[in-house]
Amino acid sequence: HGSLGFLPRKRCKHIRGRVRSFPKEQKGDKPHFTAFMGYKAGMTHIVRDLDRTGSLAHKKEVVEPVTIVETPPMVVVGVVGYTATPRGLRQLTTVWASKLSEACIRRFYKNFRKSKKAAFKKYFERRAGETGAKDLETDLARMAKYCSVIRVIAHTQIDKLNLRQKKAHMMEIQINGGSVQEKIDFAKGLLEQEVPVKDVFSMNEHIDVIGVTKGHGFEGVTHRWGVKKLPRKTHKGLRKVACIGAWHPANVTYAVPRAGQDGFHHRTEMNKKVYRIGAGFHESDDGKMVTNNATTKADPTDKSINPMGGFPHYGIVKHDYVMIKGCTPGVKKRVLTLRKSIIPDTSRRALEQVELKFIDTSSKFGHGRFQTAEEKLAFMGRLKRHDVEA
């Protein structure tokens, strides 16, 4: 009942999914990012034609659940070099950008409002001085000479989202592909630049989703471990483990299911298929706002990915988003780390090319009947509230 591989089942210390391993280098690749961060908005469903030879549903329409993760562009603010040692990687040096946003600087403070807000002040003065540019090149040259792993420090633009939090989430993203010098040139060129999610992932790619699961507090043994309930007339309760061990050894072993913390655990879900990378709301060349990022060839309705009334407990997705097949860990608004697949899935099912026919945008707050407000108005006609609003 339940895997012992996930022990200890305790609350995670950090809310951001940590990348414990980055994908291995592939020869011939150009320098590229191996991870990205986004915020879980909610779920919907899609309709598509299944292309799976041998399946009973081959060439038939299937309905599948998908998760929408909002992914505003990340900003690169630093470059880190690591040298290989017998005891693993050792950080050699770090180079920072000459400008950091307030959302980024907040990450270095526990209480930003009461602080002096002086983080990186001396570093910026040194960079702006006479030897600033020379010192930067010296540090990058040391990286090129001694380092074998290059990572960038990047943060999310959480201030662009309608969330209560103002402090950006920050992580190191490893650069794979090319020589060390090519990686450093690639990272240096992106300093203080925005990196969109379409430059990191592509449609039909498999990615790993790392995050912290939804918390359930202190739970009993039946719900936490899925053990069988005892018979109806059991003395002192039936949602228990009947025998928690032998007389000797005179202690309870670690493998016995017990009550305790359930949820809010750090988890990695592997090989989730990317069904779509949608562009956020943006202005076209003629100055009109383009919001139709949920249209398909089969359903050319002018609609955005947002369901009617917005995503419950999240709101309106206005920026780039990633549509992932199935579910992901955590509640709405939780930060998720998206990583390139560490164990690529090469099965025939995984290599299937997906073409969406329909994306559902009916209300997720109740039994949604209509895909758009225009469709609802055409069906129901003008209501009394429309005249009041007018």
Side-chain angles (χ1 to χ4, degrees), residues 357-368:
K357 292 181 76 175
F358 170 76
I359 301 170
D360 181 63
T361 55
S362 62
S363 173
K364 304 301 167 198
F365 204 83
H367 301 281

Side-chain angles (χ1 to χ4, degrees), residues 221 240-247 249 251-258:
V221 72
K240 296 174 178 288
V241 173
C243 175
I244 58 169
W247 190 319
N251 49 15
V252 181
T253 63
Y254 75 96
V256 176
R258 307 289 274 160

Side-chain angles (χ1 to χ4, degrees), residues 96-113:
W96 291 88
S98 56
K99 292 177 185 175
L100 300 179
S101 67
E102 185 186 292
C104 173
I105 288 178
R106 279 177 181 270
R107 176 51 57 188
F108 301 103
Y109 287 101
K110 185 80 173 174
N111 190 334
F112 183 74
R113 188 176 64 84

Side-chain angles (χ1 to χ4, degrees), residues 79 100 187 200 228 235 267 295 302 318 324 335-336 338 360 387:
V79 185
L100 300 179
V200 182
K228 195 172 177 67
H235 182 54
R267 294 289 180 266
T295 56
D302 187 4
K318 295 181 181 178
I324 300 170
V335 62
L336 295 175
L338 313 175
D360 181 63
D387 297 326

Side-chain angles (χ1 to χ4, degrees), residues 32-67:
H32 61 273
F33 278 27
T34 52
F36 207 82
M37 277 196 289
Y39 297 88
K40 181 174 176 175
M43 294 187 71
T44 183
H45 66 263
I46 57 97
V47 177
R48 70 182 182 94
D49 284 331
L50 191 71
D51 182 17
R52 193 173 296 160
T53 309
S55 170
L56 291 173
H58 181 54
K59 298 295 182 186
K60 294 180 181 176
E61 286 187 348
V62 291
V63 179
E64 292 176 330
V66 290
T67 302

